[in-house]
Amino acid sequence: MKQNREIVNKLRSSGLRPTEQRIRIAEFLFKREKTFHFTVENLNKIINKKRNFKKISLATIYNTTEAFQKAGHLKKILTNNTTSYYDTNTSSHHHFYDDETNELTDINFKEIELTKLPHAPKGKKITGCEVIINLRKS
């Protein structure tokens, strides 16, 4: 029950109402040891695969994922295949993206050295830079 309270507090502290669906999704996403990369469609299949729970609609999963991302609990990652991926690791880091399996793998932020960045457009400032390296079988 303590972990459930932690999830409820996490949601409330970021201005999100702790509904039954949000709590269930948050427990699945945030009660894990390793980083989890996913698409909304993938998360929908995994969460609704468990028969002992009420089904959560795809729209609810999408809206909850977007709300978690806006609250800073998830990072949104865009790849060149126009699919949005989400990452439970919100710290600065880079990714390998496998074009054939559609999998993301973390790369430590310190393993890539950027020596030059372009100037930001007028009225804008650069707030971060993350690299996605695409992979294919050789």
Side-chain angles (χ1 to χ4, degrees), residues 7 22-32 36 38 43 46-47 50 88:
I7 292 290
R22 282 184 180 159
I23 291 169
R24 195 166 128 213
I25 293 167
E27 286 176 337
F28 181 81
L29 292 175
F30 307 124
K31 287 173 47 177
R32 50 180 62 243
F36 182 55
F38 64 94
L43 183 60
I46 294 168
I47 285 196
K50 298 180 180 183
T88 56

Side-chain angles (χ1 to χ4, degrees), residues 3-14:
Q3 288 180 333
N4 194 4
R5 196 169 332 142
E6 289 173 11
I7 292 290
V8 168
N9 290 340
K10 181 176 191 159
L11 295 175
R12 283 189 177 140
S13 70
S14 54

Side-chain angles (χ1 to χ4, degrees), residues 4-107:
N4 194 4
R5 196 169 332 142
E6 289 173 11
I7 292 290
V8 168
N9 290 340
K10 181 176 191 159
L11 295 175
R12 283 189 177 140
S13 70
S14 54
L16 298 171
R17 201 165 44 93
T19 64
E20 181 183 332
Q21 294 93 341
R22 282 184 180 159
I23 291 169
R24 195 166 128 213
I25 293 167
E27 286 176 337
F28 181 81
L29 292 175
F30 307 124
K31 287 173 47 177
R32 50 180 62 243
E33 291 180 27
K34 292 185 177 183
T35 297
F36 182 55
H37 302 105
F38 64 94
T39 64
V40 171
E41 293 79 11
N42 175 259
L43 183 60
N44 178 48
K45 287 178 187 173
I46 294 168
I47 285 196
N48 285 314
K49 188 176 189 179
K50 298 180 180 183
R51 302 276 182 216
N52 55 338
F53 286 109
K54 240 194 258 181
K55 186 174 179 175
I56 300 175
S57 74
L58 178 60
T60 298
I61 292 173
Y62 176 81
N63 290 334
T64 300
T65 302
E66 284 293 309
F68 288 172
Q69 186 260 325
K70 286 178 183 165
H73 301 307
L74 294 173
K75 182 185 289 190
K76 191 177 209 175
I77 301 163
L78 303 173
T79 62
N80 65 350
N81 73 354
T82 68
T83 301
S84 294
Y85 286 81
Y86 295 85
D87 191 346
T88 56
N89 179 356
T90 58
S91 67
S92 292
H93 64 286
H94 309 291
H95 291 94
F96 285 119
Y97 176 72
D98 189 315
D99 290 323
E100 296 166 338
T101 63
N102 298 321
E103 289 182 63
L104 284 173
T105 307
D106 289 345
I107 303 172

